[in-house]
C-alpha cells in the first residue's frame, strides 16, 4: 500500500528560497519594455498557432548566450530538461 505525501513547498516557493542565479540577476536588471514594444505585432492578421510570449523568448536568448549554448537545439534541449532554466525564462 502506498501513502501519498503532499508537497511541503510548491515549486515556486522552492525557487524563491534559493539564492538568485547569475541569469536571474542579469534578466532582472534589464528593461525589456522598449524592445517588447518594437517586437509586438498587432493582432490584425492572426493566423497559425499562438506564439510564445516575447519576454520569455528574449529571456531564453539571453540565457543561451550566458550559458554558452551555440545552437537553438542546445537551448531547446536545455529548456526541456532543466526546470530551473525553464522557470526563469
Amino acid at each position: 500500500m502506498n501513502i501519498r505525501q503532499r508537497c511541503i513547498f510548491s515549486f515556486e516557493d522552492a525557487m524563491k528560497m534559493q539564492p538568485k542565479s547569475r541569469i536571474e540577476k542579469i534578466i532582472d536588471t534589464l528593461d525589456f519594455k522598449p524592445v517588447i514594444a518594437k517586437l509586438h505585432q498587432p493582432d490584425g492578421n492572426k493566423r497559425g498557432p499562438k506564439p510564445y510570449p516575447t519576454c520569455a523568448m528574449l529571456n531564453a536568448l539571453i540565457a543561451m548566450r550566458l550559458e554558452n549554448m551555440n545552437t537553438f537545439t542546445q537551448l531547446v534541449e536545455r529548456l526541456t530538461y532543466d526546470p530551473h532554466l525553464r522557470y526563469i525564462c
Side-chain angles (χ1 to χ4, degrees):
M1 178 159 106
N2 294 333
I3 300 173
R4 294 189 126 210
Q5 182 176 351
R6 293 178 49 128
C7 294
I8 297 173
F9 302 108
S10 67
F11 184 77
E12 288 80 18
D13 292 338
M15 293 300 295
K16 289 177 187 174
M17 285 188 255
Q18 292 182 354
K20 285 193 171 189
S21 67
R22 180 175 65 130
I23 297 171
E24 286 177 294
K25 290 177 184 176
I26 292 172
I27 288 175
D28 287 345
T29 59
L30 296 175
D31 182 24
F32 290 132
K33 291 175 188 169
V35 177
I36 291 173
K38 292 282 187 187
L39 292 176
H40 185 68
Q41 298 174 352
D43 295 334
N45 192 5
K46 193 153 186 146
R47 291 188 173 170
K50 184 178 178 184
Y52 291 107
T54 307
C55 189
M57 292 181 68
L58 285 173
N59 290 345
L61 289 174
I62 291 169
M64 180 181 170
R65 288 291 124 207
L66 291 174
E67 293 293 320
N68 294 325
M69 295 179 223
N70 296 325
T71 63
F72 290 114
T73 305
Q74 290 176 334
L75 175 64
V76 170
E77 288 175 358
R78 180 82 183 269
L79 287 170
T80 302
Y81 297 112
D82 188 358
H84 184 256
L85 184 63
R86 191 169 48 238
Y87 180 77
I88 292 170
C89 293

Coordinates of all heavy atoms in Angstrom, one line a residue:
M1 N 0.8 -1.2 0.0 CA 0.0 0.0 0.0 C 0.9 1.2 0.0 O 1.8 1.4 0.8 CB -0.9 0.0 1.2 CG -1.7 1.2 1.4 SD -3.1 0.9 2.4 CE -2.7 1.8 3.9
N2 N 0.6 2.2 -0.9 CA 1.3 3.4 -1.0 C 0.6 4.5 -0.3 O -0.6 4.7 -0.5 CB 1.6 3.8 -2.5 CG 2.5 2.8 -3.1 OD1 3.3 2.1 -2.5 ND2 2.3 2.6 -4.4
I3 N 1.3 5.3 0.4 CA 0.7 6.5 1.0 C 1.2 7.7 0.3 O 2.5 7.9 0.2 CB 1.1 6.6 2.5 CG1 0.6 5.4 3.2 CG2 0.5 7.9 3.1 CD1 1.0 5.2 4.7
R4 N 0.4 8.5 -0.2 CA 0.8 9.7 -1.0 C 1.1 10.8 0.0 O 0.2 11.2 0.9 CB -0.3 10.2 -1.9 CG -0.5 9.2 -3.0 CD -1.4 9.8 -4.0 NE -0.7 9.6 -5.3 CZ -0.8 10.4 -6.3 NH1 -1.7 11.5 -6.3 NH2 -0.2 10.2 -7.4
Q5 N 2.2 11.4 -0.1 CA 2.6 12.5 0.8 C 2.5 13.8 0.0 O 2.9 13.9 -1.1 CB 4.0 12.3 1.3 CG 4.5 13.4 2.2 CD 5.9 13.2 2.7 OE1 6.4 12.1 2.5 NE2 6.4 14.1 3.4
R6 N 1.9 14.8 0.6 CA 1.7 16.1 0.0 C 3.0 16.8 0.0 O 3.9 16.6 0.9 CB 0.6 16.9 0.7 CG -0.7 16.3 0.6 CD -1.7 17.1 1.4 NE -1.6 18.5 1.0 CZ -2.6 19.3 0.7 NH1 -3.8 18.8 0.6 NH2 -2.4 20.5 0.4
C7 N 3.2 17.7 -1.0 CA 4.4 18.5 -1.1 C 4.4 19.6 0.1 O 3.4 20.2 0.4 CB 4.5 19.2 -2.4 SG 4.7 18.1 -3.8
I8 N 5.5 19.8 0.6 CA 5.7 20.8 1.7 C 5.7 22.2 1.1 O 5.1 23.1 1.5 CB 6.9 20.5 2.5 CG1 6.8 19.2 3.2 CG2 7.1 21.7 3.5 CD1 8.1 18.8 4.0
F9 N 6.5 22.3 -0.1 CA 6.6 23.6 -0.7 C 6.2 23.4 -2.2 O 6.4 22.3 -2.8 CB 8.0 24.1 -0.7 CG 8.6 24.3 0.6 CD1 9.5 23.4 1.1 CD2 8.2 25.3 1.4 CE1 10.1 23.6 2.4 CE2 8.7 25.5 2.7 CZ 9.6 24.6 3.2
S10 N 5.6 24.4 -2.8 CA 5.4 24.4 -4.2 C 6.7 24.7 -4.9 O 7.7 25.1 -4.3 CB 4.3 25.4 -4.6 OG 4.8 26.7 -4.4
F11 N 6.7 24.4 -6.2 CA 7.9 24.7 -7.0 C 8.3 26.2 -6.9 O 9.5 26.5 -6.8 CB 7.7 24.3 -8.4 CG 9.0 24.4 -9.3 CD1 10.0 23.5 -9.2 CD2 9.1 25.4 -10.2 CE1 11.2 23.6 -9.9 CE2 10.2 25.6 -10.9 CZ 11.3 24.7 -10.8
E12 N 7.3 27.1 -7.0 CA 7.6 28.5 -7.0 C 8.2 28.9 -5.6 O 9.1 29.7 -5.6 CB 6.3 29.3 -7.2 CG 5.8 29.2 -8.7 CD 5.0 28.0 -9.0 OE1 4.6 27.3 -8.1 OE2 4.9 27.7 -10.2
D13 N 7.6 28.3 -4.5 CA 8.2 28.7 -3.2 C 9.6 28.2 -3.1 O 10.5 28.9 -2.5 CB 7.3 28.0 -2.1 CG 5.9 28.7 -2.0 OD1 5.8 29.8 -2.5 OD2 5.0 28.0 -1.5
A14 N 9.9 27.0 -3.6 CA 11.3 26.5 -3.5 C 12.2 27.3 -4.3 O 13.4 27.6 -3.9 CB 11.3 25.0 -4.0
M15 N 11.7 27.9 -5.5 CA 12.6 28.7 -6.3 C 12.9 30.1 -5.6 O 13.9 30.6 -5.7 CB 11.9 29.0 -7.6 CG 11.8 27.8 -8.5 SD 13.4 27.1 -9.0 CE 14.1 28.4 -9.9
K16 N 11.9 30.6 -4.8 CA 12.1 31.8 -4.1 C 13.0 31.7 -3.0 O 13.7 32.7 -2.6 CB 10.7 32.3 -3.6 CG 9.8 32.8 -4.7 CD 8.4 33.2 -4.1 CE 7.5 33.6 -5.2 NZ 6.1 33.8 -4.7
M17 N 13.1 30.5 -2.4 CA 14.0 30.3 -1.3 C 15.5 30.1 -1.7 O 16.4 30.3 -0.9 CB 13.6 29.0 -0.5 CG 12.4 29.3 0.3 SD 12.1 27.9 1.4 CE 10.7 27.1 0.5
Q18 N 15.7 29.8 -2.9 CA 17.1 29.6 -3.4 C 17.7 30.9 -3.7 O 17.0 31.9 -4.1 CB 17.1 28.8 -4.7 CG 16.7 27.3 -4.5 CD 16.8 26.6 -5.8 OE1 17.1 27.1 -6.9 NE2 16.6 25.3 -5.7
P19 N 19.0 31.0 -3.6 CA 19.7 32.3 -4.0 C 19.5 32.5 -5.5 O 19.5 31.5 -6.3 CB 21.1 32.1 -3.6 CG 21.3 30.6 -3.4 CD 20.0 30.1 -3.1
K20 N 19.5 33.7 -5.9 CA 19.3 34.0 -7.4 C 20.6 33.6 -8.1 O 21.7 33.8 -7.7 CB 19.1 35.5 -7.6 CG 17.7 35.9 -7.2 CD 17.4 37.3 -7.7 CE 15.9 37.6 -7.5 NZ 15.5 38.8 -8.2
S21 N 20.3 33.0 -9.3 CA 21.4 32.6 -10.2 C 21.9 33.8 -11.0 O 21.3 34.9 -10.9 CB 21.0 31.5 -11.1 OG 20.0 32.0 -12.0
R22 N 23.0 33.7 -11.7 CA 23.6 34.8 -12.5 C 22.6 35.2 -13.5 O 22.4 36.4 -13.8 CB 24.9 34.3 -13.1 CG 25.6 35.3 -13.9 CD 26.9 34.8 -14.4 NE 26.7 33.6 -15.2 CZ 27.3 33.5 -16.4 NH1 28.1 34.4 -16.8 NH2 27.1 32.4 -17.2
I23 N 21.9 34.2 -14.2 CA 21.0 34.5 -15.2 C 19.8 35.4 -14.7 O 19.4 36.4 -15.3 CB 20.4 33.3 -15.9 CG1 21.6 32.5 -16.5 CG2 19.4 33.6 -16.9 CD1 21.2 31.1 -17.0
E24 N 19.3 35.0 -13.5 CA 18.2 35.7 -12.9 C 18.6 37.2 -12.6 O 17.8 38.1 -12.8 CB 17.7 35.0 -11.6 CG 16.9 33.8 -11.9 CD 16.6 33.1 -10.6 OE1 17.5 32.6 -9.9 OE2 15.4 33.1 -10.3
K25 N 19.8 37.3 -12.0 CA 20.2 38.7 -11.7 C 20.4 39.6 -12.9 O 20.0 40.7 -12.9 CB 21.6 38.6 -11.0 CG 21.5 38.0 -9.6 CD 22.9 37.9 -9.0 CE 22.8 37.2 -7.6 NZ 24.2 37.0 -7.1
I26 N 20.9 39.0 -14.0 CA 21.0 39.8 -15.2 C 19.7 40.1 -15.9 O 19.4 41.3 -16.3 CB 21.9 39.1 -16.2 CG1 23.4 39.0 -15.7 CG2 21.9 39.7 -17.6 CD1 24.3 38.2 -16.5
I27 N 18.8 39.1 -15.9 CA 17.5 39.4 -16.5 C 16.7 40.4 -15.7 O 15.9 41.2 -16.2 CB 16.7 38.0 -16.7 CG1 17.4 37.2 -17.8 CG2 15.2 38.2 -17.0 CD1 16.8 35.8 -18.0
D28 N 16.8 40.3 -14.4 CA 16.1 41.3 -13.5 C 16.5 42.7 -13.7 O 15.7 43.6 -13.5 CB 16.2 40.9 -12.0 CG 15.4 39.6 -11.7 OD1 14.5 39.3 -12.5 OD2 15.6 39.1 -10.6
T29 N 17.8 42.9 -14.1 CA 18.3 44.3 -14.2 C 18.0 44.9 -15.6 O 18.0 46.1 -15.7 CB 19.8 44.3 -14.0 OG1 20.4 43.5 -15.0 CG2 20.2 43.9 -12.6
L30 N 17.6 44.0 -16.6 CA 17.4 44.6 -17.9 C 15.9 45.0 -18.0 O 15.0 44.4 -17.5 CB 17.6 43.5 -19.0 CG 19.1 43.0 -19.1 CD1 19.2 41.8 -20.0 CD2 20.0 44.1 -19.5
D31 N 15.7 46.1 -18.8 CA 14.4 46.6 -19.0 C 14.0 46.3 -20.5 O 14.5 46.9 -21.4 CB 14.4 48.1 -18.8 CG 13.0 48.7 -19.0 OD1 12.0 48.0 -18.9 OD2 12.9 49.9 -19.3
F32 N 13.0 45.4 -20.6 CA 12.6 44.9 -21.9 C 11.5 45.7 -22.5 O 11.0 45.4 -23.6 CB 12.2 43.4 -21.9 CG 13.4 42.5 -21.7 CD1 13.3 41.5 -20.7 CD2 14.5 42.6 -22.4 CE1 14.4 40.7 -20.5 CE2 15.6 41.8 -22.2 CZ 15.5 40.8 -21.3
K33 N 10.9 46.6 -21.8 CA 9.7 47.3 -22.3 C 9.9 48.0 -23.7 O 9.0 47.8 -24.5 CB 9.2 48.3 -21.3 CG 8.7 47.7 -20.0 CD 8.4 48.7 -18.9 CE 8.0 48.0 -17.6 NZ 7.9 48.9 -16.5
P34 N 11.0 48.7 -23.9 CA 11.1 49.3 -25.3 C 11.3 48.2 -26.4 O 10.7 48.3 -27.5 CB 12.4 50.1 -25.2 CG 12.7 50.3 -23.8 CD 12.0 49.2 -23.0
V35 N 12.0 47.1 -26.1 CA 12.2 46.1 -27.0 C 10.9 45.3 -27.3 O 10.6 45.1 -28.5 CB 13.3 45.1 -26.5 CG1 13.5 43.9 -27.5 CG2 14.6 45.8 -26.3
I36 N 10.2 45.0 -26.3 CA 8.9 44.3 -26.5 C 7.9 45.2 -27.3 O 7.2 44.7 -28.1 CB 8.3 43.9 -25.1 CG1 9.2 42.8 -24.5 CG2 6.9 43.4 -25.3 CD1 8.9 42.4 -23.1
A37 N 7.9 46.5 -27.0 CA 7.0 47.4 -27.8 C 7.4 47.4 -29.2 O 6.5 47.4 -30.1 CB 7.1 48.8 -27.2
K38 N 8.7 47.3 -29.6 CA 9.1 47.2 -31.0 C 8.7 45.9 -31.6 O 8.4 45.8 -32.8 CB 10.6 47.5 -31.1 CG 11.0 48.9 -30.8 CD 10.7 49.8 -31.9 CE 11.2 51.2 -31.6 NZ 10.8 52.2 -32.6
L39 N 8.9 44.8 -30.9 CA 8.7 43.5 -31.4 C 7.2 43.0 -31.4 O 6.8 42.1 -32.2 CB 9.5 42.4 -30.6 CG 11.0 42.5 -30.7 CD1 11.6 41.5 -29.8 CD2 11.4 42.3 -32.1
H40 N 6.4 43.7 -30.6 CA 5.0 43.3 -30.5 C 4.3 43.6 -31.8 O 4.3 44.7 -32.3 CB 4.3 44.0 -29.4 CG 2.9 43.5 -29.2 ND1 2.6 42.2 -28.7 CD2 1.7 44.1 -29.4 CE1 1.3 42.1 -28.6 NE2 0.7 43.2 -29.0
Q41 N 3.6 42.6 -32.4 CA 2.9 42.7 -33.7 C 1.4 42.9 -33.4 O 0.8 42.3 -32.5 CB 3.1 41.5 -34.5 CG 4.5 41.3 -34.9 CD 4.7 40.0 -35.7 OE1 3.8 39.2 -35.8 NE2 5.9 39.8 -36.2
P42 N 0.7 43.8 -34.1 CA -0.7 43.9 -33.9 C -1.5 42.6 -34.3 O -1.0 41.8 -35.1 CB -1.1 45.0 -34.9 CG 0.0 45.1 -35.9 CD 1.2 44.6 -35.2
D43 N -2.6 42.4 -33.7 CA -3.4 41.2 -33.8 C -4.3 41.2 -35.1 O -5.1 40.4 -35.3 CB -4.3 41.0 -32.6 CG -3.5 40.8 -31.4 OD1 -2.4 40.3 -31.5 OD2 -4.0 41.0 -30.3
G44 N -4.0 42.1 -36.1 CA -4.8 42.2 -37.2 C -4.8 41.0 -38.1 O -5.8 40.5 -38.6
N45 N -3.7 40.4 -38.4 CA -3.5 39.2 -39.2 C -3.1 38.0 -38.4 O -2.0 37.6 -38.4 CB -2.5 39.5 -40.3 CG -2.6 38.5 -41.4 OD1 -3.4 37.6 -41.4 ND2 -1.6 38.6 -42.3
K46 N -4.0 37.5 -37.7 CA -3.7 36.4 -36.7 C -4.0 35.1 -37.3 O -5.2 34.7 -37.4 CB -4.5 36.6 -35.4 CG -4.0 35.8 -34.3 CD -4.3 36.4 -33.0 CE -3.7 35.6 -31.9 NZ -3.3 36.3 -30.9
R47 N -3.0 34.4 -37.8 CA -3.2 33.0 -38.3 C -2.1 32.1 -37.7 O -1.0 32.6 -37.3 CB -3.0 33.0 -39.8 CG -4.1 33.7 -40.5 CD -4.0 33.5 -42.0 NE -5.2 34.0 -42.6 CZ -5.3 34.2 -43.9 NH1 -4.3 33.9 -44.7 NH2 -6.4 34.7 -44.4
G48 N -2.4 30.9 -37.7 CA -1.4 29.9 -37.2 C -1.5 29.8 -35.7 O -2.4 30.3 -35.0
P49 N -0.6 29.0 -35.1 CA -0.6 28.8 -33.6 C -0.3 30.0 -32.8 O 0.4 30.9 -33.3 CB 0.4 27.7 -33.4 CG 1.4 27.8 -34.6 CD 0.6 28.3 -35.7
K50 N -0.7 30.0 -31.6 CA -0.4 31.1 -30.7 C 1.1 31.1 -30.4 O 1.6 30.1 -30.0 CB -1.2 30.9 -29.4 CG -1.1 32.1 -28.4 CD -2.0 31.9 -27.2 CE -1.8 33.0 -26.3 NZ -2.5 32.8 -25.0
P51 N 1.8 32.2 -30.6 CA 3.2 32.3 -30.4 C 3.5 32.3 -28.9 O 2.7 32.6 -28.0 CB 3.6 33.6 -31.0 CG 2.4 34.4 -31.0 CD 1.2 33.5 -31.1
Y52 N 4.8 32.0 -28.6 CA 5.3 32.2 -27.2 C 5.4 33.6 -26.8 O 5.5 34.5 -27.7 CB 6.7 31.5 -27.1 CG 6.7 30.0 -27.2 CD1 7.2 29.4 -28.3 CD2 6.2 29.2 -26.2 CE1 7.2 28.1 -28.5 CE2 6.2 27.9 -26.3 CZ 6.7 27.3 -27.5 OH 6.7 25.9 -27.6
P53 N 5.3 33.9 -25.5 CA 5.4 35.3 -25.1 C 6.8 35.9 -25.5 O 7.8 35.2 -25.4 CB 5.3 35.3 -23.6 CG 4.6 34.0 -23.3 CD 5.0 33.1 -24.4
T54 N 6.8 37.2 -25.9 CA 8.0 37.8 -26.4 C 9.0 37.9 -25.3 O 10.2 37.7 -25.5 CB 7.7 39.2 -27.0 OG1 6.6 39.1 -27.9 CG2 8.9 39.8 -27.6
C55 N 8.6 38.2 -24.1 CA 9.5 38.4 -23.0 C 10.2 37.0 -22.7 O 11.4 37.0 -22.4 CB 8.8 38.9 -21.8 SG 9.9 39.3 -20.4
A56 N 9.4 35.9 -22.7 CA 10.0 34.6 -22.5 C 11.1 34.2 -23.5 O 12.1 33.6 -23.2 CB 8.9 33.6 -22.4
M57 N 10.8 34.6 -24.7 CA 11.8 34.3 -25.8 C 13.0 35.1 -25.7 O 14.1 34.6 -25.9 CB 11.1 34.5 -27.2 CG 10.0 33.5 -27.4 SD 9.2 33.7 -29.0 CE 10.5 33.3 -30.1
L58 N 12.9 36.4 -25.3 CA 14.1 37.2 -25.0 C 14.9 36.7 -23.8 O 16.1 36.6 -23.9 CB 13.7 38.6 -24.7 CG 13.2 39.5 -25.9 CD1 12.7 40.8 -25.4 CD2 14.4 39.7 -26.9
N59 N 14.2 36.2 -22.8 CA 14.9 35.6 -21.6 C 15.7 34.4 -22.1 O 16.8 34.1 -21.6 CB 13.9 35.3 -20.5 CG 13.4 36.5 -19.9 OD1 13.9 37.6 -20.0 ND2 12.3 36.3 -19.1
A60 N 15.1 33.6 -22.9 CA 15.7 32.3 -23.4 C 16.9 32.7 -24.2 O 18.0 32.0 -24.1 CB 14.7 31.5 -24.2
L61 N 16.9 33.7 -25.1 CA 18.0 34.1 -25.9 C 19.2 34.6 -25.0 O 20.3 34.3 -25.3 CB 17.6 35.1 -27.0 CG 16.7 34.6 -28.1 CD1 16.3 35.7 -29.0 CD2 17.5 33.5 -28.9
I62 N 18.8 35.4 -24.0 CA 19.9 35.8 -23.1 C 20.5 34.7 -22.4 O 21.7 34.6 -22.2 CB 19.3 36.9 -22.1 CG1 18.9 38.2 -22.9 CG2 20.2 37.2 -21.0 CD1 18.1 39.1 -22.1
A63 N 19.7 33.8 -21.9 CA 20.2 32.6 -21.2 C 21.1 31.7 -22.1 O 22.1 31.2 -21.7 CB 19.0 31.7 -20.6
M64 N 20.7 31.7 -23.4 CA 21.5 30.9 -24.3 C 22.9 31.5 -24.5 O 23.9 30.8 -24.5 CB 20.8 31.0 -25.7 CG 21.5 30.3 -26.8 SD 20.5 30.5 -28.3 CE 21.7 29.8 -29.5
R65 N 23.0 32.8 -24.5 CA 24.3 33.5 -24.6 C 25.1 33.3 -23.3 O 26.3 33.1 -23.3 CB 24.2 34.9 -25.0 CG 23.7 35.2 -26.4 CD 24.9 34.8 -27.3 NE 24.4 33.9 -28.3 CZ 25.1 33.0 -28.9 NH1 26.3 32.9 -28.7 NH2 24.5 32.1 -29.8
L66 N 24.4 33.5 -22.2 CA 25.1 33.4 -20.9 C 25.6 32.0 -20.6 O 26.6 31.8 -19.9 CB 24.2 33.9 -19.8 CG 23.9 35.4 -19.8 CD1 22.9 35.7 -18.7 CD2 25.1 36.2 -19.6
E67 N 24.9 31.0 -21.1 CA 25.3 29.6 -20.8 C 26.2 29.0 -21.9 O 26.4 27.8 -21.9 CB 24.1 28.8 -20.6 CG 23.3 29.1 -19.3 CD 24.1 28.8 -18.1 OE1 24.7 27.7 -18.0 OE2 24.0 29.6 -17.1
N68 N 26.6 29.9 -22.8 CA 27.5 29.4 -24.0 C 26.9 28.3 -24.8 O 27.6 27.4 -25.1 CB 28.9 29.1 -23.4 CG 29.6 30.2 -22.9 OD1 29.5 31.3 -23.3 ND2 30.4 30.0 -21.8
M69 N 25.6 28.4 -25.1 CA 25.0 27.5 -26.0 C 25.1 28.0 -27.4 O 24.8 29.2 -27.7 CB 23.5 27.3 -25.6 CG 23.3 26.7 -24.3 SD 21.5 26.6 -24.0 CE 21.5 27.1 -22.3
N70 N 25.6 27.2 -28.3 CA 25.9 27.6 -29.7 C 24.7 27.5 -30.6 O 24.7 28.2 -31.6 CB 27.1 26.9 -30.2 CG 28.4 27.2 -29.4 OD1 28.6 28.3 -29.0 ND2 29.2 26.2 -29.3
T71 N 23.8 26.6 -30.3 CA 22.7 26.4 -31.3 C 21.4 26.5 -30.6 O 21.3 26.3 -29.3 CB 22.8 25.0 -32.0 OG1 22.7 24.0 -30.9 CG2 24.1 24.8 -32.7
F72 N 20.3 26.7 -31.3 CA 19.0 26.7 -30.8 C 18.6 25.3 -30.3 O 17.8 25.1 -29.4 CB 18.0 27.2 -31.8 CG 18.1 28.7 -32.0 CD1 18.5 29.1 -33.3 CD2 17.9 29.6 -31.1 CE1 18.7 30.5 -33.5 CE2 18.0 31.0 -31.3 CZ 18.4 31.4 -32.5
T73 N 19.2 24.3 -30.9 CA 18.9 22.9 -30.5 C 19.4 22.7 -29.1 O 18.7 22.0 -28.3 CB 19.6 21.9 -31.5 OG1 19.2 22.2 -32.8 CG2 19.2 20.5 -31.1
Q74 N 20.5 23.2 -28.7 CA 21.0 23.1 -27.4 C 20.1 23.8 -26.4 O 19.9 23.3 -25.3 CB 22.5 23.6 -27.3 CG 23.5 22.8 -28.0 CD 24.9 23.4 -27.9 OE1 25.0 24.7 -27.8 NE2 25.9 22.6 -28.0
L75 N 19.6 25.0 -26.8 CA 18.7 25.7 -26.0 C 17.4 25.0 -25.7 O 17.0 24.9 -24.6 CB 18.4 27.1 -26.6 CG 17.4 28.0 -25.9 CD1 17.9 28.3 -24.5 CD2 17.1 29.2 -26.7
V76 N 16.9 24.4 -26.8 CA 15.6 23.7 -26.6 C 15.8 22.4 -25.7 O 15.0 22.2 -24.9 CB 15.1 23.2 -28.0 CG1 13.9 22.3 -27.9 CG2 14.7 24.5 -28.8
E77 N 16.9 21.7 -25.9 CA 17.2 20.5 -25.1 C 17.3 20.9 -23.6 O 16.8 20.3 -22.7 CB 18.4 19.8 -25.5 CG 18.2 19.1 -26.8 CD 19.5 18.5 -27.4 OE1 20.6 18.6 -26.7 OE2 19.5 17.8 -28.4
R78 N 18.1 22.0 -23.4 CA 18.3 22.5 -22.0 C 17.0 23.0 -21.4 O 16.7 22.7 -20.2 CB 19.3 23.6 -22.0 CG 19.6 24.2 -20.7 CD 20.6 23.4 -19.9 NE 20.9 24.0 -18.6 CZ 21.8 24.9 -18.4 NH1 22.6 25.3 -19.3 NH2 21.9 25.4 -17.1
L79 N 16.1 23.6 -22.1 CA 14.8 24.1 -21.6 C 13.9 22.9 -21.4 O 13.1 22.9 -20.5 CB 14.1 25.0 -22.6 CG 14.7 26.4 -22.6 CD1 14.1 27.2 -23.8 CD2 14.5 27.2 -21.3
T80 N 14.1 21.8 -22.1 CA 13.3 20.6 -21.9 C 13.6 19.9 -20.6 O 12.8 19.4 -19.9 CB 13.5 19.6 -23.1 OG1 13.1 20.3 -24.3 CG2 12.6 18.4 -23.0
Y81 N 14.9 19.8 -20.3 CA 15.4 19.0 -19.2 C 15.7 19.8 -17.9 O 15.9 19.2 -16.9 CB 16.6 18.2 -19.6 CG 16.2 17.2 -20.7 CD1 16.8 17.3 -21.9 CD2 15.4 16.2 -20.4 CE1 16.4 16.4 -22.9 CE2 15.0 15.3 -21.4 CZ 15.6 15.4 -22.7 OH 15.2 14.5 -23.6
D82 N 15.8 21.1 -18.0 CA 16.2 21.9 -16.8 C 15.0 22.8 -16.4 O 14.7 23.8 -16.9 CB 17.3 22.8 -17.2 CG 17.9 23.6 -16.0 OD1 17.4 23.4 -14.9 OD2 18.9 24.3 -16.2
P83 N 14.3 22.3 -15.3 CA 13.1 23.1 -14.8 C 13.5 24.5 -14.3 O 12.7 25.4 -14.4 CB 12.5 22.2 -13.8 CG 13.6 21.3 -13.3 CD 14.5 21.1 -14.5
H84 N 14.7 24.6 -13.7 CA 15.1 25.9 -13.2 C 15.2 26.9 -14.3 O 14.7 28.1 -14.2 CB 16.4 25.8 -12.5 CG 16.8 27.0 -11.8 ND1 17.9 27.8 -12.3 CD2 16.4 27.7 -10.7 CE1 18.0 28.9 -11.6 NE2 17.2 28.8 -10.6
L85 N 15.9 26.6 -15.4 CA 16.0 27.5 -16.6 C 14.7 27.8 -17.2 O 14.4 28.9 -17.6 CB 17.0 26.9 -17.6 CG 17.3 27.8 -18.8 CD1 18.0 29.0 -18.3 CD2 18.1 27.0 -19.8
R86 N 13.8 26.7 -17.3 CA 12.5 26.9 -17.9 C 11.7 27.9 -17.0 O 11.0 28.7 -17.6 CB 11.8 25.6 -18.0 CG 10.6 25.6 -18.8 CD 10.1 24.2 -19.1 NE 10.0 23.3 -17.9 CZ 10.7 22.1 -17.9 NH1 11.4 21.7 -18.8 NH2 10.6 21.4 -16.8
Y87 N 11.8 27.8 -15.7 CA 11.1 28.7 -14.8 C 11.6 30.2 -15.0 O 10.8 31.1 -15.0 CB 11.2 28.3 -13.4 CG 10.5 29.1 -12.4 CD1 9.1 29.0 -12.3 CD2 11.2 30.0 -11.6 CE1 8.5 29.8 -11.3 CE2 10.5 30.8 -10.7 CZ 9.2 30.7 -10.6 OH 8.5 31.5 -9.7
I88 N 12.9 30.3 -15.1 CA 13.4 31.7 -15.3 C 13.0 32.3 -16.6 O 12.6 33.5 -16.7 CB 15.0 31.6 -15.3 CG1 15.5 31.2 -13.9 CG2 15.6 33.0 -15.7 CD1 17.0 30.9 -13.9
C89 N 12.9 31.5 -17.7 CA 12.5 32.1 -19.0 C 11.0 32.2 -19.0 O 10.5 33.1 -19.7 CB 13.0 31.1 -20.1 SG 14.8 31.1 -20.2

